[in-house]
Amino acid sequence: MRDEIQSYNLPDDCGHFGPYGGIFVAETLMEPLEALKAAYHRYMKDPEFLAELDHDLNHYVGRPSPIYHAERLSRELGGAQIYFKREDLNHTGAHKVNNTVGQALLAKRMGKRRVIAETGAGQHGVATATVAARLGMECVVYMGAVDVERQALNVFRMKLLGATVVAVDSGSKTLKDALNEAMRDWVTNVDETFYIIGTAAGPHPYPAMVRDFQAVIGREARGQMLGLAGRLPDALVACVGGGSNAIGLFYPFIEDRDIAMYGVEAAGDGIETGRHSAPLSAGRPGVLHGNRTYLMEDEDGEIIETHSISAGLDYPGVGPEHAWLKDSGRATYVSATDAEALEAFHILTRLEGIIPALESSHAVAYALKLAPTLSSDKIVLVNLSGRGDKDIHTIATREGIVL
Amino acid sequence: MSRLTSTFEALRQAQRKALIPFITAGDPEPGFTVPTMHAMAEAGADIIELGVPFSDPMADGPVIQKASERALVHHMSLRKTLDLVAEFRRTDQTTPVVLMGYLNPVECMGYQAFADRAKDAGVDGVLTVDMPPEEAGEFVPMLHRAGVDPIFLLAPNSSDARIERMAALGRGYLYYVSLKGVTGASHLDLGDVESKIAHIKSLTGLPIGVGFGVKNAEIAAAIGRFADAVVVGSALVEKIAAAQDRPEQARKDIADLLAAMRRALDS
Ligand SMILES: Cc1ncc(COP(=O)(O)O)c(C=O)c1O
């Protein structure tokens, strides 16, 4: 397995990362997935498409996003130098928009007038509604009823942008159920609809396609680190929900085998309590949402409910490429509890004047543990996947503050 | 010859069409299922499809989603579904039973263990909604060896190459999904379905069942004119939803609807 990492060219033509990934969907979706795969292969080689994508990323999203050396935080921790890739500074406030800009351009090329999306924290929903507004497309966003409640600000943003937000009341009423409902919409309206999946999961070609659109994070980071520090980092850290910001950072470094990669899952109340969202840390391989990957399931193969303070990490599966990177040993998957993420949220806010998203706070929490174990000439690059504005209410409520 | 194949053979000789009811195992509670299977056979069902409850039924509309949720409240599972089939088989050795569900519970049990246990329980066919033939390379031969028929779904947008591939791997019958949508949808176009079935029949000799959107006896009869089997699910499950606390009533409503479909199909 380890040797295969040396020249990395996964997935195979059917979307397999070793035993993971693939296409596990109802027959009606096979044809649209085939059409999507063909369009994705064609346009990712089309100079005109790539030029338009670059243009939008630069002038609309605000790329390249900066890299910031957190000197004060690094000094306080007394270990490795911490750098942040500032995806929180993107238009709409998170990395999600890198992918929605790309998929919406594909949708346009494929002649689709209607886009749909699932969302957990609402960041992907906002990023989808944003590009749909700009391109004049109809947009429907599915969101678990629980998440509609805890991310009310983003629900309002999506509505302002002209999207229809559908609260999903089935199952656990969170991200996985929103994904189920989006799949049901897609199978029903398949001819005119493009499904913009928000993370590096789902049936092939989504995991590879979302990775490729998010890989701009890691590509930029390579050049920026060389410019700023004169060398590449020693370790990469990113939070993992479905895994898109993490794979976006990791992918361009996969063949640099000396660079450690840490994916941070949500440990919720603690892995040992069972109330968490950490399938790579505590789950088993299975099939859900179109791909084979690590899942949180009971002994009968029913998917179990997850828990995390951050809606964007509250998902029982994970992108199949992370499952493969875990098994192959190329990446290491760790976790941070709600309490650790909250503590990290406050530390970053007070020491560096950066208010991170709760999702990203999980990555920060692990960096706070990792940096002191390394010498001060080492570099840890953390993906700051989003900003915390959307989470202010959650944090206030948790801390008993009435706004 | 499998129980499914001989059932279709007997129907063909009698120039009759198969009526295939679907209910979810354990809905609204486990004790309801086996007596209802017997009642359905008595009301004229030729084959019974039993849904295996799953936490994330992506291809199902709200009616069957809720059936899964009701069954899961009682901790219904793949293992317990197999127990129900075994119980049914004690008094009915002739009516074929097909399990319909999602792949993850099967993966969790293990393909070989599942094939063996399905065989032992008296299951005749298995329809896994989210397992296209591309991903079925390991599982399908195990089902073949166990004598359990793998049943594939065909859709309005399936290419000829895919139809032929599924016809080659499938046994018993092929299940044509009448519309682009989820179970319980109601935008079925009978003219479209008829011409598509004629086309599929030019590619395979397997019997073709049609399901999704069969709400009443008239639609069942119309489909029976060109397909070999009619599958009815949500319309029956709605009877359970409407009379959850009155199992005798729900069972009677199901039997009445099936009997009406039977009459319409046979006339
Ligand atoms: C800011 C932010 N980071 C991370 C995530 C998790 O998603 P992924 O693992 O795909 O990056 C989300 C999801 O909503 C998010 O909003």
Side-chain angles (χ1 to χ4, degrees), chain B residues 53-262:
Chain B
F54 184 50
S55 52
D56 295 81
M58 275 189 304
D60 285 299
V63 171
I64 294 178
Q65 285 172 44
K66 294 219 174 63
S68 253
E69 288 181 14
R70 285 192 294 272
L72 288 171
V73 166
H74 295 281
H75 305 288
M76 187 42 61
S77 62
L78 179 57
R79 276 181 295 163
K80 290 180 187 164
T81 303
L82 291 170
D83 292 344
L84 293 178
V85 177
E87 190 184 330
F88 174 74
R89 277 278 167 262
R90 274 188 227 130
T91 42
D92 185 331
Q93 284 91 44
T94 54
T95 310
V97 175
V98 171
L99 297 188
M100 179 164 181
Y102 295 81
L103 187 58
N104 197 53
V106 174
E107 286 236 348
C108 186
M109 181 177 282
Y111 290 160
Q112 191 60 56
F114 170 75
D116 294 342
R117 286 159 87 163
K119 178 70 195 166
D120 291 346
V123 169
D124 301 286
V126 173
L127 200 170
T128 321
V129 179
D130 53 351
M131 192 185 57
E134 286 81 352
E135 299 287 353
E138 196 187 333
F139 185 37
V140 161
M142 291 179 189
L143 290 177
H144 286 165
R145 279 196 297 277
V148 175
D149 291 338
I151 292 157
F152 285 96
L153 290 170
L154 304 178
N157 56 2
S158 298
S159 66
D160 285 3
R162 294 186 60 77
I163 294 170
E164 282 167 352
R165 184 163 183 185
M166 291 186 270
L169 286 174
R171 300 279 190 275
Y173 62 101
L174 289 167
Y175 184 138
Y176 179 68
V177 175
S178 64
L179 46 79
K180 292 176 183 167
V182 292
T183 54
S186 55
H187 49 279
L188 172 82
D189 180 333
L190 283 169
D192 277 359
V193 178
E194 178 166 9
S195 54
K196 188 74 183 185
I197 296 295
H199 180 66
I200 294 169
K201 283 185 164 285
S202 74
L203 299 173
T204 172
L206 278 177
I208 313 293
V210 173
F212 282 41
V214 182
K215 294 215 172 295
N216 54 44
E218 293 76 64
I219 299 177
I223 289 172
R225 281 194 268 285
F226 50 78
D228 303 296
V230 178
V231 186
V232 52
S234 294
L236 299 176
V237 173
E238 267 168 4
K239 306 287 183 202
I240 300 178
Q244 283 174 49
D245 314 322
R246 290 166 292 142
E248 292 307 324
Q249 185 63 45
R251 193 171 295 127
K252 179 173 179 310
D253 292 345
I254 286 172
D256 288 350
L257 179 56
L258 282 178
M261 289 184 163
R262 178 81 270 164

Side-chain angles (χ1 to χ4, degrees), chain A residues 45 112 144 163 186 229 266 364:
Chain A
K45 287 199 260 345
K112 307 284 184 184
W186 197 29
V364 177

Side-chain angles (χ1 to χ4, degrees), chain A residues 53-75:
Chain A
L53 177 61
D54 270 349
H55 180 274
D56 285 357
L57 290 176
N58 295 344
H59 298 282
Y60 189 66
V61 174
R63 304 206 70 88
S65 67
I67 284 215
Y68 169 69
H69 182 190
E71 291 180 66
R72 183 160 181 230
L73 178 65
S74 305
R75 217 181 307 120

Side-chain angles (χ1 to χ4, degrees), chain A residues 87-88 93-96 119-125 154 175 198-201 210 214 217 238-248 264 310-314 318-319 322 356-361 383-388 390-391:
Chain A
E87 292 300 300
D88 60 315
H95 69 292
K96 296 285 180 187
T119 196
Q123 286 305 112
H124 174 59
N154 272 342
L175 180 54
T199 192
V210 174
Q214 291 292 1
I217 300 172
C239 67
V240 178
S244 69
N245 88 86
I247 203 68
V264 188
S310 95
L313 302 183
D314 211 346
V318 61
H322 289 292
L358 277 174
E359 291 79 12
S360 323
S361 299
N383 201 8
L384 211 61
S385 57
R387 67 177 88 124
K390 69 183 175 60
D391 297 312

